[in-house]
Amino acid sequence: AAIITATPILLLHRWALIQDRAITETATGAAVRRAYLAFVAGVAAIVALGNADELVRVIFDNLFGIATERDVPQVTLVADSAGTLVAATIAWATHHRGAILAVSGRTSSDRADPERRAFLPALYRMVVVTVAVAFTLGNVTRMLDWAASFVVGPPGSPNVAVAASASLLTYTLAWWGFRHSFARDLGDASNGPTTWVTTLDRTHRYAVTVVALAVAATGVAQLVSMVLDSRIGASPDGVTSLRDVRFWVAATSTGLPTWVAYWRPSGHPGLDARETASKPRRGALYVVVFACAVSLLTAGVWVTYGL
């Protein structure tokens, strides 16, 4: 019923938008159109990735013969994920390059085309890339934790490996694909009179830097806390403690190399004077300093209370 009702309304208003754009399109109208396309494409891409992750997990479950505990039957899960994936993929494909609002004779593959040098389409790709990076790092941590469980014990469940490997495959491919598209957009835009290209690229890099540093710092803090607990005889039972140590070592092993790979300290050959004064770098520095200051203040309150 929703499809029958919404499809003619969509087609009618799409036709009206195309006819209006064929006559004239103001700068504000172009910005609104690009914002709409970027928002729908971004949401659809993230929804599609989540459901692709679930389908890959079901495939892995069946390939390796692992009986995963589910609240719903597998056929229901597959149907729900597949249907949402198809719908989200269609939404993404029809909005990714503005095809749903394309004007005949007005689009071009030429790099001089303003549609290929616009800020908002590149922004949505940057958001998806950053989300893919975050999920990739999270699942690398889960895989390291699971692998270490067979060395230090207790052995981890195969369900963890299946879920983490399915997510890792899905989001790593998304990272590669959207990063390639994002880099292409930046390359196209750099040929025009734009000022946001390097800013957007730096924003992505420093966002990943802050997230990776937060993961590494949290892992180190948790490990130090466990050491202090054990020294004063307040550590939990051995199994729980060992699992915690294993997980936070894995988190630190994931976050720290990522932070080193993305961070550019003073004197770095790839860091020029303009980047040191850029908003993304200053913003990242202030976010880290603020987070550390709040952590120290909070810790100071609790230490004082304890004394």
Side-chain angles (χ1 to χ4, degrees):
I3 292 175
I4 293 173
T5 306
T7 299
I9 298 176
L10 169 65
L11 294 176
L12 174 64
H13 287 77
R14 175 184 178 273
W15 178 81
L17 282 168
I18 292 175
Q19 295 302 313
D20 292 349
R21 286 186 61 210
I23 300 172
T24 182
E25 184 179 48
T26 63
T28 302
V32 172
R33 173 176 53 81
R34 290 166 182 156
Y36 157 74
L37 292 171
F39 176 77
V40 175
V43 172
I46 294 173
V47 172
L49 287 174
N51 286 273
D53 175 15
E54 190 64 45
L55 281 178
V56 173
R57 181 177 176 179
V58 172
I59 292 172
F60 281 17
D61 285 344
N62 287 275
L63 284 177
F64 298 108
I66 298 174
T68 305
E69 296 182 0
R70 305 276 189 174
D71 295 332
V72 296
Q74 190 178 81
V75 64
T76 304
L77 185 66
V78 170
D80 184 39
S81 299
T84 308
L85 175 61
V86 170
T89 303
I90 292 174
W92 172 78
T94 54
H95 290 74
H96 175 63
R97 284 292 181 186
I100 199 169
L101 295 178
V103 178
S104 178
R106 293 285 298 277
T107 59
S108 171
S109 61
D110 186 6
R111 289 188 176 185
D113 182 9
E115 296 302 312
R116 300 193 64 180
R117 294 189 285 105
F119 168 73
L120 288 171
L123 176 64
Y124 115 75
R125 290 174 179 80
M126 188 209 75
V127 171
V128 176
V129 169
T130 306
V131 170
V133 170
F135 275 92
T136 299
L137 296 179
N139 285 286
V140 168
T141 299
R142 295 170 66 191
M143 288 296 294
L144 290 176
D145 178 46
W146 179 79
S149 69
F150 294 95
V151 178
V152 299
S157 169
N159 293 337
V160 175
V162 169
S165 58
S167 295
L168 190 60
L169 175 63
T170 303
Y171 286 101
T172 301
L173 291 175
W175 182 358
W176 175 82
F178 277 90
R179 177 64 192 177
H180 176 73
S181 179
F182 178 50
R184 183 184 57 196
D185 287 347
L186 297 184
D188 292 347
S190 63
N191 295 323
T194 57
T195 59
W196 54 263
V197 176
T198 53
T199 300
L200 200 60
D201 188 35
R202 290 168 183 167
T203 300
H204 160 69
R205 179 154 41 85
Y206 283 111
V208 176
T209 297
V210 171
V211 172
L213 180 60
V215 172
T218 303
V220 171
Q222 292 291 336
L223 292 173
V224 172
S225 176
M226 293 173 192
V227 171
L228 294 176
D229 283 344
S230 64
R231 293 299 296 271
I232 64 175
S235 60
D237 60 276
V239 174
T240 304
S241 178
L242 193 58
R243 286 174 177 171
D244 291 342
V245 170
R246 193 181 69 208
F247 175 80
W248 291 114
V249 167
T252 305
S253 301
T254 303
L256 192 58
T258 306
W259 176 72
V260 171
Y262 275 80
W263 172 247
R264 293 181 179 179
S266 299
H268 190 281
L271 182 67
D272 57 25
R274 289 174 295 181
E275 183 170 345
T276 58
S278 65
K279 293 179 181 178
R281 182 179 177 87
R282 292 291 174 86
L285 290 172
Y286 280 119
V287 166
V288 174
V289 170
F290 175 77
C292 291
V294 171
S295 298
L296 290 173
L297 288 171
T298 306
V301 170
W302 283 105
V303 168
T304 304
Y305 173 77
L307 293 175

